[in-house]
Amino acid sequence: MSTLGKATSKLPLFIFLTPILLWLFLLIVLPHIDLLRMSFRIENDYGDMVWSVSNYLEFFREPIYWLTFTRTALYAIIVTFLTLCISLPVAFYITKVAPPKFRGFLSLLLLMPFWVSELVRIYGWMILLRESGVINHFLVEWGILQQPVEMLYNDVAMTMGLVYTSMLFMVVPLLSVMDSLDDSLIEAAFDLGSNMFTIVWKIIIPHAMPGIASGSIVVFMLSLGNYLTPNLMGGKNALWFTEQIYNQFIASFNWNQGSAFGFLLLVLSSLIIFIGLRLTNQKLSKVVQ
Amino acid sequence: MEVDLSVKSVSKRFKSFVAVDDVSFEVEKGKFFSILGPSGCGKTTLLRMIAGFEEPSKGAIYIRAQNMANISPNRRPVNLIFQHLALFPMMNVADNIGFGLARRNESKTEIRKKVSDILERVNLPGFEAKKIHHLSGGQKQRVAIARSLVLDPTVLLLDEPLGALDLKLREQMKIELKKLQMEVGTTFVYITHDQSEALVMSDHVAVMNEGRFEQIDSPQNLYTKPASPFVARFVGDNNRLPGKIVGCNDGTAELQTASGEKLLIRTDRQLTPGVQAELYIRPESVILEPAQELPELNRLNVLVSSILFDGANTQLLVESPASDDELLISLPQNRQYEHISVKDRIEIGWDARAGNCFPLP
Amino acid sequence: MKKKVLSLMVAGGFILGLGSGVSAETLELLTWTGYAPKSLVEKFEKETGITVNTTFSNNEEMIAKLRATRGAGFDLAQPSQDRISSVQEKFNIYQPIDYTKIDAKLIVPSMLEAVKKNTMVDGKSYGVPHVYGTSGLIVNKKTAAGADDYTALLDPQYEGRVSYRLKRPTLIAMAFAEGKDPFALYGDAEKYEALMESIGQKLIDAKGLVKTYWANGDALLQSMRSGEVNVAMAWDNGGWKLNAENPDIDFVAPKSGALGWIDTFTIPAKAKNVEGAYKWINFMMRPENAAVFTNAEKYGTASAGAIEFYDDAVKANFQRSFSQADVDNIKWYPPVPAKLEAIEGKILDKVKASQ
């Protein structure tokens, strides 16, 4: 009787899990396995497909690829850091300084840009920043500039665009850790002789560390995997690693090389996150809670 | 005697709400000063003004004769023990205690030595490396006090730090805290809503109500000579008998209750016939079944409604037509009154000098 | 519990429903922006009762999409004629065109023959010509009067006012401007690579002059309109559209030859509505319909009689930009052999990556 009871109680679970597992397997795992297989295949001189690791070796052999990756990773780290620097005070202001009745409204304001698609947001920035754009128009109008200057198509514009796109993903986890920070800890530190800097450094940041780590992982991954912002705002100089993957798939028809790059991106970015967690003494299981 | 803290006509307004209303007092060096009041009376605001977290709307605060206006909390020679202690959970005990010293850029060896000394002093030797969340409530309490005391503040402010402890521990910490204060000789300003904490530990107590100080006095005087009905009610248990003054001459007065009893009062207070007044009698001032020959004794016939057994603090609740509320009477546990049981009619009495009578405005 | 099972079945049914598609006859069209004007789609739907769904794309993405599904998901695609044969050989994503189902009278015979020849794999042809046009220069004559060849894109006097696509036509155009013939090297991958390397280096050296590499035609037109860009390599129709707004801006056929392309109709290997696809081809090639398209988009069409229906302005465009010598000098893309794209891709990556 008891075993029968157990079996029937598990049946609904199976029924519900099956579509999810099928979904995961068919749409996520299976294509990845195929991509992984593809990444180890190359066309030899006779036009036949054979097994090889040369797609992976190509990444290290050709400076343009690993240099692009290094550049991409470096900028993603810079973007993550800048996003953190901006988001910390924002989260602090919303949770600790702003009157409680405005908190919901302020959080909503942060969310608002995300009601439109990324593409629209970027075009918005481009309208503002371009040489014939809104900002230049006013700067010339007010006599601050003689000639309009191009503010788009450089790394600064691209970094700014990426920070803007990522901010929400940093602020949200920070809001929840800041919320759990007892105000009296800050007052106590103040009372014991701290200035603002040591309060931030010794109390707020250590307390917010799990939120900082989880926000940073998300922002880093999003920036590293972004395609539109570097391409449109960074313009001619900003080759992003994702664009190289796209080019391999689309322009060069080399899906095998593209798959290998895709897996390298996955492995190398995971490695960077692993190192980051190690350096800040965080545990992944705690961070993702 | 040197004055460590002097508060002069301080008021604090939050928009239309007056939290602290023209409060003045002085605390002498090395004294244990308590501010006692119900929650919402403004005592925390007053404390936060002394600590520097709030600026007074009016008035001034002096510490060792130095005006504290526009001096931020991190530059004041006072430290605050928070209600929930506010120990830093991300640091161990030594780092918590050494936090303030490190802010003063003291050397690492100096800090280590001071931390170990103060831990010794609060009876937690060798606790340096412990994590905060591994400490018991009492240990946390001591670490919080050590964290402030190690900075050797002129005045240590304590914001109901015993509130979160259970009763037994609270009784124990009360005594410990008083002893510690006497040992270190630091001036303590302690706020609480618990009159027993204030009475047991303090040299002087200020009773605060609705933003104002009702009375500043020694614990004994507060208890025996309350200056206002509020103090009489708030400090210790008291029985209230409302009535009208019907007679008055040279140190004595007569109060007539609504039910017609006339009660004799000996007091220095000026009472004019015809005014409404309240007479307060402590439970322990009431004599059960008084002997007939005792002079100047007010007597009432009452009905015993319940007996509240609590060991040495056992009390009787009795009903009398003289008061709308039940009267509370201490019942000595010397077996003399064992025969009294619920629903008995008994006689009670009290000396004319035992009560405190206040005319109502 | 019953309720849960029921909702599960509903959900399951929904997923199945997505797979099986809708019952009404549809035509899935994979094409370029502007190639299926709304008015023509509505007219076609009225005539045939077939619903047309369009997906806009470009050559590379069309091929990638069809390759991913092995030729399924679309009934008609419109790649350029030079990008068909090698792709077909390698990935087998199209099906041969049954030319008996095409109304040959509607199509300019020389173009039909050329496309048949260029898209031939194993004796079967895979394309029907639809639209033709050229890539050349769009020039603002007021600020860049001297720009008459692709070399203007490397000319320091236009610093910061130059734009082009970082795609293969740019490499090929630059090679012609150098006096080389890249099409002649199509058969020799090594020599071709060497040529393209040298062109890539030129682009890297002159990278500082570039405003940005454009990717979206409308964005380029906006940049030219606002004066941010004065010389650009782009399609002729863009220049002609701008000329209608601002006579200073016009399409210029470069001295070393405009690059001529023909976009085609092809039928993917696993097309569901092949009959519908032929109906669409014949519909679009009818002179009056083809002219509607040309008048709107300014591109030429392979429709035989359409010229009668052209607006005067459209006729004038061509005469203004192309002398007879320019027409003779148009370099028509031959079919691209396999592997060249990978060579070009790497060089283009290098150009983009350089600082």
Side-chain angles (χ1 to χ4, degrees):
Chain A
M1 185 59 219
S2 68
T3 50
L4 187 69
K6 249 186 184 170
T8 46
S9 69
K10 272 190 179 169
L11 187 65
L13 183 73
F14 278 121
I15 291 174
F16 275 93
L17 272 181
T18 310
I20 296 163
L21 289 176
L22 272 178
W23 179 277
L24 276 175
F25 183 75
L26 291 177
L27 292 176
I28 296 176
V29 179
L30 212 59
H32 274 78
I33 292 174
D34 195 43
L35 279 180
L36 189 63
R37 190 192 60 85
M38 216 185 280
S39 72
F40 286 106
R41 308 275 286 174
I42 58 158
E43 192 182 322
N44 68 7
D45 294 341
Y46 308 103
D48 301 320
M49 299 307 285
V50 292
W51 293 98
S52 164
V53 292
S54 71
N55 287 326
Y56 288 89
L57 290 178
E58 177 75 4
F59 173 82
F60 298 100
R61 226 184 276 140
E62 185 62 67
I64 175 177
Y65 296 134
W66 59 261
L67 277 175
T68 305
F69 179 82
T70 314
R71 193 190 119 87
T72 308
L74 216 61
Y75 268 95
I77 290 169
I78 292 172
V79 166
T80 308
F81 181 73
L82 289 177
T83 311
L84 177 62
C85 292
I86 296 171
S87 302
L88 259 180
V90 170
F92 185 81
Y93 181 83
I94 292 177
T95 49
K96 300 292 177 202
V97 183
K101 57 180 171 180
F102 290 130
R103 273 172 208 170
F105 172 72
L106 287 173
S107 311
L108 202 68
L109 273 187
L110 276 175
L111 200 69
M112 238 150 61
F114 291 82
W115 288 353
V116 297
S117 78
E118 190 186 1
L119 195 65
V120 176
R121 260 178 284 144
I122 292 170
Y123 275 118
W125 274 113
M126 291 177 74
I127 289 169
L128 282 180
L129 294 177
R130 65 188 304 163
E131 192 181 344
S132 57
V134 178
I135 292 177
N136 267 311
H137 174 80
F138 282 109
L139 287 179
V140 172
E141 190 96 318
W142 296 333
I144 298 167
L145 287 178
Q146 298 310 121
Q147 285 278 314
V149 290
E150 182 60 85
M151 303 183 201
L152 266 183
Y153 312 129
N154 54 49
D155 289 344
V156 178
M158 176 195 75
T159 308
M160 195 207 61
L162 284 171
V163 168
Y164 178 78
T165 305
S166 321
M167 246 192 69
L168 186 74
F169 302 95
M170 187 68 94
V171 171
V172 167
L174 284 183
L175 281 181
S176 70
V177 286
M178 289 287 196
D179 216 31
S180 69
L181 175 64
D182 188 353
D183 291 1
S184 66
L185 288 188
I186 296 169
E187 288 186 339
F190 200 25
D191 184 66
L192 292 167
S194 296
N195 50 29
M196 222 35 227
F197 175 76
T198 42
I199 289 176
V200 170
W201 193 245
K202 295 275 181 185
I203 308 294
I204 296 177
I205 289 181
H207 176 87
M209 210 56 210
I212 291 174
S214 64
S216 297
I217 289 177
V218 174
V219 170
F220 177 74
M221 289 304 252
L222 280 178
S223 303
L224 202 66
N226 201 316
Y227 175 80
L228 278 173
T229 309
N231 205 0
L232 290 177
M233 291 185 72
K236 59 177 184 172
N237 290 318
L239 184 57
W240 213 240
F241 195 64
T242 45
E243 195 182 338
Q244 261 174 353
I245 297 176
Y246 174 90
N247 284 346
Q248 288 300 336
F249 272 94
I250 304 297
S252 301
F253 302 139
N254 196 343
W255 288 20
N256 308 85
Q257 187 69 65
S259 315
F261 283 0
F263 276 96
L264 279 165
L265 180 67
L266 186 71
V267 170
L268 291 173
S269 55
S270 306
L271 194 71
I272 292 170
I273 286 171
F274 175 78
I275 293 169
L277 286 174
R278 266 297 167 86
L279 286 178
T280 54
N281 243 334
Q282 296 287 308
K283 288 209 170 60
L284 188 66
S285 56
K286 269 198 175 166
V287 165
V288 293
Q289 264 172 11
Chain B
M1 198 68 198
E2 201 178 337
V3 171
D4 268 353
L5 173 66
S6 167
V7 171
K8 290 187 178 160
S9 305
V10 161
S11 297
K12 179 70 185 176
R13 251 169 200 291
F14 295 106
K15 289 183 185 155
S16 65
F17 173 70
V18 182
V20 175
D21 188 5
D22 194 28
V23 164
S24 300
F25 65 98
E26 287 189 342
V27 182
E28 287 173 0
K29 185 176 166 61
K31 295 290 182 192
F32 197 123
F33 185 89
S34 290
I35 299 167
L36 173 65
S39 56
C41 71
K43 58 188 191 297
T44 300
T45 308
L46 179 57
L47 198 73
R48 288 173 63 81
M49 285 193 284
I50 301 169
F53 292 116
E54 310 277 358
E55 277 295 311
S57 316
K58 256 202 333 237
I61 294 166
Y62 296 85
I63 293 170
R64 292 243 168 105
Q66 195 195 346
N67 194 340
M68 287 292 119
N70 299 321
I71 296 180
S72 59
N74 53 349
R75 300 183 185 282
R76 292 193 183 197
V78 298
N79 285 108
L80 176 61
I81 310 262
F82 287 79
Q83 192 163 10
H84 301 291
L85 307 180
L87 294 173
F88 305 132
M90 58 289 257
M91 301 175 199
N92 63 18
V93 169
D95 289 341
N96 261 283
I97 298 175
F99 187 86
L101 297 172
R103 302 287 79 75
R104 292 180 183 174
N105 292 322
E106 296 198 14
S107 75
K108 283 220 167 99
T109 47
E110 187 78 359
I111 292 175
R112 205 174 304 133
K113 188 177 167 306
K114 282 188 177 173
V115 167
S116 116
D117 286 353
I118 197 85
L119 277 172
E120 197 95 33
R121 178 138 243 177
V122 297
N123 288 323
L124 294 174
F127 268 60
E128 278 92 341
K130 289 241 180 229
K131 295 258 178 225
I132 294 301
H133 56 263
H134 290 154
L135 301 179
S136 72
Q139 289 168 337
K140 282 184 189 164
Q141 198 79 53
R142 290 181 213 165
V143 170
I145 292 165
R147 184 174 70 174
S148 290
L149 274 187
V150 77
L151 297 174
D152 198 17
T154 306
V155 179
L156 184 67
L157 308 169
L158 301 98
D159 182 4
E160 306 206 32
L162 305 186
L165 301 181
D166 59 55
L167 185 69
K168 242 319 165 359
L169 197 55
R170 197 153 66 211
E171 295 298 322
Q172 192 190 327
M173 283 304 295
K174 253 191 307 206
I175 299 159
E176 228 175 87
L177 205 54
K178 176 67 187 165
K179 273 193 194 156
L180 185 71
Q181 191 266 336
M182 292 203 296
E183 271 173 41
V184 297
T186 306
T187 309
F188 275 35
V189 173
Y190 188 99
I191 69 170
T192 181
H193 66 272
D194 182 323
Q195 41 110 2
S196 145
E197 284 177 21
L199 297 183
V200 168
M201 292 190 280
S202 319
D203 297 309
H204 289 282
V205 178
V207 178
M208 196 173 183
N209 185 35
E210 292 180 344
R212 292 179 151 274
F213 274 7
E214 300 257 343
Q215 186 174 1
I216 307 174
D217 221 325
S218 67
Q220 291 80 359
N221 283 345
L222 273 187
Y223 194 79
T224 55
K225 294 179 194 153
S228 69
F230 176 80
V231 177
R233 272 199 307 272
F234 195 72
V235 180
D237 293 325
N238 233 330
N239 295 304
R240 189 178 66 114
L241 294 164
K244 198 161 89 178
I245 302 293
V246 289
C248 181
N249 88 67
D250 195 25
T252 64
E254 215 171 13
L255 178 96
Q256 187 173 30
T257 65
S259 55
E261 286 94 348
K262 288 190 176 168
L263 303 172
L264 187 66
I265 301 158
R266 282 204 172 275
T267 176
D268 303 333
R269 209 168 263 123
Q270 268 303 315
L271 295 166
T272 34
V275 301
Q276 295 291 323
E278 282 178 344
L279 177 64
Y280 287 90
I281 312 286
R282 296 277 178 202
E284 67 274 17
S285 301
V286 178
I287 308 166
L288 288 161
E289 300 176 328
Q292 285 307 315
E293 62 274 17
L294 287 172
E296 282 210 343
L297 209 64
N298 294 305
R299 293 165 196 266
L300 283 177
N301 273 308
V302 296
L303 175 72
V304 177
S305 57
S306 50
I307 301 172
L308 310 171
F309 181 78
D310 184 18
N313 302 321
T314 300
Q315 290 172 312
L316 279 184
L317 273 177
V318 300
E319 288 169 14
S320 158
S323 168
D324 297 339
D325 307 318
E326 289 180 316
L327 303 178
L328 198 61
I329 300 162
S330 291
L331 187 62
Q333 288 301 292
N334 51 12
R335 312 200 64 164
Q336 189 188 340
Y337 300 106
E338 264 187 347
H339 63 276
I340 296 175
S341 54
V342 176
K343 301 268 194 237
D344 283 357
R345 285 205 162 271
I346 56 170
E347 191 181 47
I348 59 168
W350 65 89
D351 191 276
R353 284 161 299 188
N356 274 298
C357 188
F358 302 100
L360 292 179
Chain C
M1 181 63 217
K2 258 185 182 165
K3 238 182 181 174
K4 281 183 184 171
V5 170
L6 192 71
S7 58
L8 198 74
M9 283 164 68
V10 171
F14 181 68
I15 291 165
L16 287 177
L18 277 180
S20 61
V22 276
S23 54
E25 193 179 354
T26 59
L27 182 72
E28 297 294 334
L29 192 55
L30 180 59
T31 188
W32 302 74
T33 317
Y35 277 27
K38 204 161 168 256
S39 61
L40 291 182
V41 168
E42 277 165 8
K43 190 174 171 193
F44 178 75
E45 285 177 344
K46 218 177 203 175
E47 266 181 31
T48 60
I50 301 173
T51 310
V52 180
N53 297 323
T54 47
T55 305
F56 299 122
S57 190
N58 58 37
N59 266 326
E60 289 83 3
E61 285 182 4
M62 270 183 220
I63 295 163
K65 278 197 173 92
L66 292 174
R67 188 182 160 192
T69 58
R70 298 187 173 85
F74 295 96
D75 299 313
L76 195 58
Q78 298 213 261
S80 299
Q81 52 104 7
D82 58 312
R83 306 293 283 271
I84 295 173
S85 56
S86 69
V87 169
Q88 174 59 17
E89 253 173 62
K90 210 165 172 188
F91 307 126
N92 196 23
I93 55 175
Y94 303 116
Q95 50 181 286
I97 298 285
D98 181 353
Y99 290 93
T100 61
K101 291 190 176 165
I102 307 274
D103 192 350
K105 298 192 300 295
L106 297 177
I107 301 172
V108 176
S110 63
M111 249 189 246
L112 183 59
E113 281 317 304
V115 167
K116 267 187 185 175
K117 192 180 128 230
N118 284 344
T119 61
M120 190 171 287
V121 176
D122 296 336
K124 288 175 186 142
S125 291
Y126 289 83
V128 177
H130 175 213
V131 175
Y132 71 91
T134 63
S135 302
L137 296 173
I138 301 181
V139 175
N140 188 329
K141 296 219 163 104
K142 220 172 183 178
T143 44
D148 61 352
D149 201 0
Y150 299 115
T151 45
L153 300 171
L154 310 175
D155 189 337
Q157 66 167 307
Y158 305 124
E159 183 175 358
R161 296 283 173 249
V162 167
S163 187
Y164 44 84
R165 284 202 307 167
L166 213 51
K167 287 269 152 67
R168 62 186 307 268
T170 309
L171 294 175
I172 287 163
M174 285 298 169
F176 277 115
E178 288 285 301
K180 308 274 170 37
D181 183 359
F183 295 157
L185 298 178
Y186 263 19
D188 188 338
E190 256 170 60
K191 275 192 188 152
Y192 187 78
E193 186 170 3
L195 172 63
M196 288 300 144
E197 286 277 5
S198 73
I199 301 294
Q201 192 53 49
K202 286 221 161 58
L203 293 181
I204 290 172
D205 293 342
K207 189 171 178 177
L209 311 179
V210 177
K211 177 77 163 182
T212 190
Y213 300 122
W214 64 269
N216 174 312
D218 289 332
L220 173 75
L221 298 193
Q222 181 54 35
S223 301
M224 298 232 39
R225 232 177 247 132
S226 64
E228 288 178 21
V229 170
N230 296 332
V231 188
M233 179 171 166
W235 297 303
D236 47 19
N237 74 323
W240 292 332
K241 275 182 184 170
L242 286 175
N243 186 256
E245 300 168 18
N246 177 357
D248 289 335
I249 305 175
D250 204 355
F251 179 80
V252 171
K255 274 202 300 202
S256 45
L259 299 177
W261 46 263
I262 302 172
D263 286 344
T264 65
F265 292 111
T266 58
I267 302 179
K270 293 178 186 167
K272 284 212 185 86
N273 191 357
V274 177
E275 288 313 307
Y278 284 113
K279 277 184 196 161
W280 176 260
I281 296 173
N282 286 324
F283 173 82
M284 285 303 281
M285 298 316 286
R286 265 191 263 159
E288 68 275 21
N289 294 341
V292 168
F293 163 75
T294 298
N295 288 335
E297 290 299 319
K298 322 292 180 211
Y299 284 124
T301 79
S303 167
I307 197 152
E308 287 178 39
F309 298 92
Y310 282 6
D311 292 343
D312 289 340
V314 170
K315 289 183 202 160
N317 281 337
F318 200 78
Q319 284 158 6
R320 200 173 59 246
S321 295
F322 287 94
S323 65
Q324 189 54 48
D326 289 331
V327 175
D328 294 340
N329 198 22
I330 291 177
K331 317 287 190 213
W332 296 95
Y333 286 105
V336 187
K339 277 191 173 172
L340 290 195
E341 278 112 340
I343 294 170
E344 291 155 356
K346 202 162 172 178
I347 290 165
L348 294 172
D349 271 354
K350 273 186 197 165
V351 175
K352 174 109 192 228
S354 74
Q355 293 293 323

